[in-house]
């Protein structure tokens, strides 16, 4: 109860068991004065002794199983290892990376390349008091997990027989460790998080040097030592998770179950606790007023054109010795034929496989040795090549990127593999209420016949219809026409343009006309329902097709309008459903416009028994805001919060890339940020109220609920909306 919660806080939440980190553009003396003022008067709590880690091993394998609403059976074996910051942790981390992180790893070859499983992972998970090494395989539908166990054991034996960890494995790990380390320290928040963790768990905020040394000096002999110490021939907990009614697929009959435990009503350390109020010389209940936000200095950027018309933009930033590049071509999902939806995603997956010079395993190994990443992705509007490289390895990385872009092999075996992976993902998504809701909602908004009514990944029918020739023909549309090259990192304009000049080999003509279709109109609000039998939560979506993106006009002003209604954590919708009613962990909404019309969506996952109440609350609040608009307190909060939030928008490498890419995508210049600040500062209640009236039309919305029909359908039918039942694919149930 509440008293238990209070006792827990009194026992553990004291200043002598807390670490405070502060990072950013602050004056050290001023900050220390504030810390002393607000935290100094708080009395110490009960003494907290650092718990002692206990090392243990199992005396036999423990087999346990469960059944759930899943499509693919899962095998997971967990071995007890060591706590975080133990001398063996780094070597165990390397072991996990070697076994499963790349296309040349033993588990990838055993399970993924062979198409025997959907996924295979291995990793060490160290925590304060204990650690565990986990190997997890999601098998193909219908596969016996006893067969997976046999294959896993054979894979590990073959790996060991072939020599186990190699010098090349160690080299690849170390360079990728450095690359990831830089990424984690690229933001003020990242630096603060590391300092706090090191102080808390190592009693040394500068533990980074020790951790780096441990990871950068791991020899292969150490990797094999921990393999022999904690994994080979050792006992673990084997979990089989299989589809309901498929108990014959489990790895082995259960031989262990949780023993009966006696939990004390109240242990001694929770007795005789009392609250001592701080002796303050200020009113602690009064929240300090935030100072007026300052305009954050925006990154300086350069712009240029490549000879084939590619628009280039870049930021020279030497915070960390890395370079990040995004090259985007406007030929994404939106441009596909509906009966071949998923083609752009399939193309980008295949471009990450073999080239005419190297196998996919060789490509992966080369990039790992460089500590680099080259990937391709497809969104609604674009196909993108994404590059991340250590500064000193950029030339070698771009050589591989050029090869992947211009010399894909389009191998039939690779095609079969990535097609299977895409189909497996689609199949798995049909078991997840969130994915079902998102897919069906898209179909309701965009209507039959539109590619946009289908997920980027396509459907089982559309992906099954795609051939290797379809992919080859779609690849011919790659072009510099209306493409954007965004660069951020430790490189200047001249060097960047010289190194990326290979992109001029792309054709300069655009070849992708948009399919024309009539956008459906919502003549009245209807409620659509999809049955997910026995679901403990219901997924709710409310929205319509709304505004295309703009930086300083109606779209941007509407995001301000929506902030207090559904955008912020303490917005009306989230505050009511989460804080007041306790129906959900979160309910949010917002505009998602881009160059094209985009949806306005309110989404929430709510308790099954609160489904109808949640729909009522969302629609009631929507009507109230549409008709009554924002109040004075909400307007003041919106202005302060949105102005302050701008300070962290241009910090991380991906944020810098997003900033400069937006400038070219929408024909902006950096003055748009100042204009946005001025709009936030000066927008009035009448302006916001007019936008709420126009762009939150509660009588012209789609309401979708995915949940358990038996417990919810009849209650929802009483809400007064025309109600239509759909299946998981968005088709009417007859």
């Amino acid at each position: 109860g509440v008293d238990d919660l209070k006792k827990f806080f009194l026992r553990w939440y004291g200043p002598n068991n807390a670490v405070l980190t502060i990072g950013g553009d602050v004056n050290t003396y001023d900050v220390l004065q504030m810390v002393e003022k607000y935290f100094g008067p708080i009395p110490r709590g009960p003494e907290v002794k650092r718990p002692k880690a206990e090392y243990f091993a199992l005396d036999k394998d423990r087999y346990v199983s469960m059944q759930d609403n899943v499509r693919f059976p899962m095998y997971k074996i967990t071995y007890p290892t060591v706590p975080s910051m133990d001398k063996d942790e780094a070597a165990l981390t390397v072991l996990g990376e070697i076994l499963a992180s790349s296309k040349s790893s033993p588990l990838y070859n055993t399970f993924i390349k062979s198409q025997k499983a959907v996924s295979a992972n291995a990793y060490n998970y160290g925590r304060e008091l204990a650690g565990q090494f986990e190997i997890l395989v999601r098998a193909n539908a219908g596969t016996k997990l006893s067969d997976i166990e046999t294959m896993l054991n054979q894979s590990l034996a073959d790996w060991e027989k072939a020599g186990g960890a190699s010098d090349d494995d160690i080299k690849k790990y170390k360079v990728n460790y450095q690359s990831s380390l830089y990424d984690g320290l690229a933001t003020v928040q990242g630096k603060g998080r590391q300092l706090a963790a090191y102080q808390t768990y190592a009693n040394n905020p500068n533990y980074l040097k020790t951790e780096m040394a441990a990871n950068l000096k791991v020899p292969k002999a150490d990797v094999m030592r921990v393999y022999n110490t904690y994994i080979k021939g050792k006992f673990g907990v084997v979990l089989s998770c299989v589809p309901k009614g498929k108990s014959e697929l489990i790895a082995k009959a259960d031989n262990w179950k949780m023993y009966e435990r006696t939990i004390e009503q109240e242990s001694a350390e929770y007795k005789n606790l009392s609250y001592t109020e701080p002796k303050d010389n200020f009113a602690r209940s009064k929240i300090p007023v935030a100072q007026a936000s300052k305009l954050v200095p925006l990154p300086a950027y350069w712009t240029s054109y490549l000879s084939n018309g590619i628009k280039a933009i870049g930021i020279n930033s030497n915070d960390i010795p890395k370079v990040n590049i995004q090259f985007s071509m406007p030929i994404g999902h939106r441009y596909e034929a509906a009966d071949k939806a998923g083609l752009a995603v399939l193309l980008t997956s295949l471009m990450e496989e073999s080239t005419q010079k190297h196998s996919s395993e060789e490509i992966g190994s080369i990039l790992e040795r460089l500590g680099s990443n080259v990937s391709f992705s497809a969104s609604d509007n674009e196909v993108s090549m994404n590059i991340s490289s250590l500064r000193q390895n950029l030339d070698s990385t771009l050589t591989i990127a050029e090869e992947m872009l211009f010399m894909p092999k389009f191998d039939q075996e690779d095609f079969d593999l990535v097609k299977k992976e895409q189909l497996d993902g689609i199949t798995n998504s049909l078991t997840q209420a969130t994915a079902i809701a998102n897919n069906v909602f898209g179909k309701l908004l965009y209507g039959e016949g539109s590619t946009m009514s289908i997920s980027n990944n396509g459907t089982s029918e559309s992906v099954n219809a795609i051939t290797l020739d379809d992919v080859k023909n779609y690849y011919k549309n790659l072009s510099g026409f209306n493409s954007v090259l965004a660069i951020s990192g430790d490189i200047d304009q001249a060097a960047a343009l010289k190194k990326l000049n290979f992109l001029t080999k792309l054709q300069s003509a655009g070849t992708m006309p948009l399919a024309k279709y009539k956008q459906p109109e919502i003549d009245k609000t209807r409620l659509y329902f999809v049955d997910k039998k026995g679901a403990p939560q219901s997924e709710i979506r409310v929205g319509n097709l709304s505004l295309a993106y703009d930086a300083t006009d109606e779209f941007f002003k509407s995001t301000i309008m929506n902030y207090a209604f559904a955008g912020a954590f303490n917005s009306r919708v989230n505050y009511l459903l989460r804080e007041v009613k306790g129906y959900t962990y979160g309910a949010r909404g917002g505009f998602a416009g881009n160059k094209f019309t985009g949806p306005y969506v309110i989404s929430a996952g709510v308790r099954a028994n609160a489904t109808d109440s949640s729909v009522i609350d969302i629609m009631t609040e929507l009507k109230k805001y549409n008709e009554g608009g924002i109040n004075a307190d909400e307007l003041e909060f919106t202005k302060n919060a949105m102005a302050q939030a701008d300070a962290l928008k241009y910090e991380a490498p991906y944020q810098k890339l997003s900033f400069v890419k937006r400038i070219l995508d929408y024909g902006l210049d950096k003055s748009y940020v100042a204009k946005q600040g001025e709009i936030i500062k000066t927008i009035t209640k009448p302006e916001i109220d007019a936008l709420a009236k126009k762009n939150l039309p509660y009588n012209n919305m789609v309401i979708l609920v995915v949940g358990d029909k038996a417990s919810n359908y009849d209650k929802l039918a009483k809400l007064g909306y025309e109600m239509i039942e759909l299946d998981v694919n968005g088709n009417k149930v007859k």
Side-chain angles (χ1 to χ4, degrees):
V2 174
D3 285 340
D4 295 318
L5 186 64
K6 288 179 179 177
K7 288 177 180 178
F8 185 85
F9 272 75
L10 287 171
R11 174 65 186 90
W12 303 109
Y13 282 66
N16 49 307
N17 193 32
V19 172
L20 174 66
T21 61
I22 297 170
D25 185 13
V26 295
N27 179 287
T28 303
Y29 177 79
D30 291 343
V31 167
L32 289 175
Q33 293 289 97
M34 293 178 196
V35 172
E36 185 60 42
K37 175 181 177 180
Y38 292 109
F39 294 91
I42 300 174
R44 290 175 65 88
E47 291 307 307
V48 177
K49 293 182 179 179
R50 187 173 295 274
K52 186 178 180 181
E54 294 185 21
Y55 296 79
F56 65 95
L58 300 177
D59 57 358
K60 65 178 180 179
D61 285 326
R62 293 179 174 179
Y63 284 87
V64 293
S65 66
M66 60 182 294
Q67 299 182 30
D68 206 344
N69 294 319
V70 295
R71 294 290 178 98
F72 304 112
M74 182 195 76
Y75 175 95
K76 182 170 80 168
I77 184 165
T78 303
Y79 299 96
T81 57
V82 298
S84 180
M85 299 181 182
D86 181 273
K87 63 179 178 59
D88 285 348
E89 183 184 29
L92 283 160
T93 300
V94 179
L95 175 64
E97 292 286 308
I98 291 172
L99 291 180
S101 70
S102 71
K103 291 180 179 179
S104 59
S105 64
L107 297 191
Y108 182 90
N109 280 298
T110 298
F111 294 108
I112 309 304
K113 189 175 181 181
S114 66
Q115 300 190 36
K116 297 290 177 59
V118 177
S119 65
N121 296 294
Y123 48 87
N124 188 62
Y125 180 25
R127 290 174 290 177
E128 186 177 9
L129 296 182
Q132 57 210 54
F133 191 94
E134 298 188 346
I135 301 175
L136 187 153
V137 180
R138 287 171 60 233
N140 292 334
T143 302
K144 290 185 176 181
L145 295 180
S146 55
D147 293 340
I148 294 295
E149 184 170 68
T150 300
M151 292 170 64
L152 172 61
N153 291 335
Q154 187 62 53
S155 180
L156 293 175
D158 290 346
W159 170 72
E160 187 182 3
K161 187 177 180 180
S166 68
D167 291 329
D168 193 45
D169 288 330
I170 302 299
K171 179 182 178 181
K172 287 188 287 190
Y173 172 77
K174 290 178 180 179
V175 72
N176 281 281
Y177 168 78
Q178 286 180 290
S179 184
S180 298
L181 183 69
Y182 292 142
D183 290 338
L185 297 175
T187 64
V188 171
Q189 186 181 56
K191 295 180 181 77
R193 186 187 299 116
Q194 288 285 58
L195 288 170
Y198 290 146
Q199 176 60 36
T200 301
Y201 299 115
N203 201 32
N204 175 11
N206 203 29
Y207 186 78
L208 177 63
K209 294 179 180 179
T210 305
E211 183 182 90
M212 281 184 67
N215 279 274
L216 293 178
K217 71 179 183 182
V218 174
K220 64 182 180 182
D222 247 14
V223 176
M224 298 314 295
R225 178 182 58 77
V226 297
Y227 171 73
N228 288 311
T229 302
Y230 302 104
I231 312 299
K232 182 183 177 182
K234 301 302 184 290
F235 300 115
V237 176
V238 179
L239 169 65
S240 299
C241 180
V242 299
K244 286 185 176 178
K246 297 288 184 180
S247 60
E248 71 275 10
L249 298 182
I250 66 173
K252 192 175 287 188
D254 292 11
N255 66 355
W256 187 87
K257 66 178 181 179
M258 176 58 73
Y259 46 82
E260 292 294 326
R261 293 182 297 171
T262 303
I263 301 175
E264 296 178 67
Q265 289 298 308
E266 184 176 82
S267 61
E269 64 186 356
Y270 290 106
K271 296 182 185 296
N272 304 316
L273 296 172
S274 60
Y275 173 66
T276 305
E277 191 169 347
K279 295 180 180 178
D280 299 321
N281 56 6
F282 65 97
R284 190 173 286 275
S285 60
K286 187 176 180 180
I287 299 175
V289 177
Q291 296 181 12
S293 60
K294 301 176 184 177
L295 272 179
V296 179
L298 296 174
Y301 61 85
W302 53 263
T303 59
S304 185
Y305 283 87
L306 275 62
S307 60
N308 60 343
I310 294 173
K311 295 175 283 187
I313 189 166
I315 293 174
N316 185 357
S317 169
N318 59 5
D319 296 352
I320 57 175
K322 292 192 70 173
V323 177
N324 291 277
I325 299 164
Q326 183 179 24
F327 173 59
S328 302
M329 297 165 281
I331 59 167
H333 172 62
R334 186 183 296 273
Y335 297 85
E336 302 167 343
D339 61 352
K340 295 290 177 75
L343 181 53
V345 169
L346 198 50
L347 167 65
T348 55
S349 297
L350 197 52
M351 291 179 72
E352 294 180 357
E353 297 295 323
S354 303
T355 69
Q356 294 168 31
K357 289 185 175 182
H358 296 94
S359 69
S360 59
E361 292 85 358
E362 289 169 337
I363 292 285
S365 290
I366 292 168
L367 291 171
E368 282 184 279
R369 290 187 199 103
L370 297 170
S372 300
N373 180 265
V374 178
S375 63
F376 293 84
S377 60
S379 64
D380 284 349
N381 305 318
E382 297 173 331
V383 163
S384 298
M385 177 173 68
N386 307 285
I387 301 169
S388 174
S389 173
L390 293 168
R391 177 189 58 203
Q392 68 268 27
N393 294 336
L394 181 60
D395 287 345
S396 299
T397 302
L398 292 179
T399 298
I400 293 298
E402 180 178 1
E403 180 182 323
M404 294 171 73
L405 178 62
F406 288 106
M407 301 181 68
K409 187 177 182 182
F410 292 133
D411 178 73
Q412 183 68 47
E413 187 176 330
D414 288 342
F415 173 75
D416 293 341
L417 175 61
V418 297
K419 184 173 178 176
K420 176 189 179 297
E421 290 176 338
Q422 193 159 325
L423 287 167
D424 286 344
I426 293 167
T427 300
N428 192 50
S429 71
L430 295 178
T431 68
Q432 300 167 3
T434 301
I436 294 169
N438 291 339
N439 291 342
V440 174
F441 194 69
K443 191 168 186 177
L444 292 170
L445 290 189
Y446 288 97
E448 294 283 351
S450 163
T451 305
M452 293 301 294
S453 71
I454 305 170
S455 161
N456 288 356
N457 287 322
T459 65
S460 294
E461 294 75 19
S462 67
V463 174
N464 268 313
I466 296 171
T467 66
L468 182 55
D469 282 339
D470 289 328
V471 175
K472 291 177 180 178
N473 288 328
Y474 199 78
Y475 169 78
K476 294 174 183 176
N477 294 297
L478 266 60
S479 166
F481 179 76
N482 275 346
S483 295
V484 170
L485 174 62
I487 304 153
S488 171
D490 198 0
I491 187 170
D492 61 31
Q493 177 181 356
L497 293 176
K498 181 179 179 182
K499 293 176 189 296
L500 288 156
N501 190 56
F502 66 85
L503 294 174
T504 59
K505 292 190 290 184
L506 286 166
Q507 62 181 322
S508 13
T511 61
M512 298 293 292
L514 274 174
K516 294 181 179 179
Y517 72 98
K518 182 173 172 53
Q519 187 171 299
E521 295 182 1
I522 303 172
D523 59 330
K524 68 174 183 177
T525 296
R526 292 178 176 83
L527 195 158
Y528 299 85
F529 186 87
V530 177
D531 183 19
K532 191 171 191 309
K533 289 182 174 59
Q537 283 198 149
S538 297
E539 284 291 332
I540 298 173
R541 302 290 182 271
V542 177
N544 64 350
L545 284 180
S546 190
L547 301 166
Y549 174 88
D550 63 63
T552 55
D553 206 344
E554 186 174 355
F555 175 88
F556 177 69
K557 292 174 182 176
S558 293
T559 63
I560 301 173
M561 173 273 290
N562 177 70
Y563 193 77
F565 173 65
F569 180 83
N570 62 339
S571 65
R572 290 189 188 187
V573 171
N574 191 61
Y575 182 76
L576 177 63
L577 267 66
R578 175 186 163 110
E579 302 299 312
V580 177
K581 300 292 186 68
Y583 293 161
T584 179
Y585 286 114
R588 298 287 182 86
F591 296 89
N594 44 61
K595 292 179 182 178
F596 304 90
T597 296
Y600 175 81
V601 189
I602 299 170
S603 62
V606 303
R607 284 199 335 252
N609 63 0
T611 302
D612 58 329
S613 300
S614 298
V615 172
I616 292 170
D617 285 342
I618 290 171
M619 297 308 294
T620 299
E621 291 301 314
L622 193 59
K623 181 178 180 182
K624 282 167 58 179
Y625 202 69
N626 172 283
E627 296 179 346
I630 198 168
N631 64 43
D633 288 342
E634 289 172 330
L635 181 56
E636 182 182 7
F637 162 73
T638 294
K639 291 187 173 190
N640 289 336
M642 291 190 74
Q644 297 285 350
D646 201 59
L648 296 178
K649 284 183 180 177
Y650 317 102
E651 190 180 14
Y654 73 89
Q655 291 174 307
K656 291 183 172 77
L657 278 182
S658 178
F659 167 64
V660 291
K661 184 175 183 298
R662 186 181 302 116
I663 285 173
L664 290 191
D665 279 341
Y666 298 100
L668 307 171
D669 60 53
K670 68 164 57 177
S671 68
Y672 88 86
V673 176
K675 290 174 184 174
Q676 287 182 340
E678 188 62 23
I679 291 169
I680 292 169
K681 183 179 177 181
T682 60
I683 197 166
T684 63
K685 173 177 167 56
E687 288 179 278
I688 287 179
D689 292 354
L691 289 166
K693 178 75 69 179
K694 179 182 178 183
N695 293 323
L696 299 180
Y698 62 90
N699 284 323
N700 303 93
M701 291 283 189
V702 169
I703 305 172
L704 171 65
V705 175
V706 178
D708 178 53
K709 180 179 179 179
S711 57
N712 285 300
Y713 192 87
D714 291 343
K715 290 189 284 186
L716 290 167
K718 296 176 182 177
L719 300 186
Y721 299 103
E722 178 186 343
M723 192 164 169
I724 301 167
E725 185 178 357
L726 307 172
D727 63 20
V728 293
N729 294 307
N731 301 313
K732 285 187 180 180
V733 174
K734 297 177 182 179

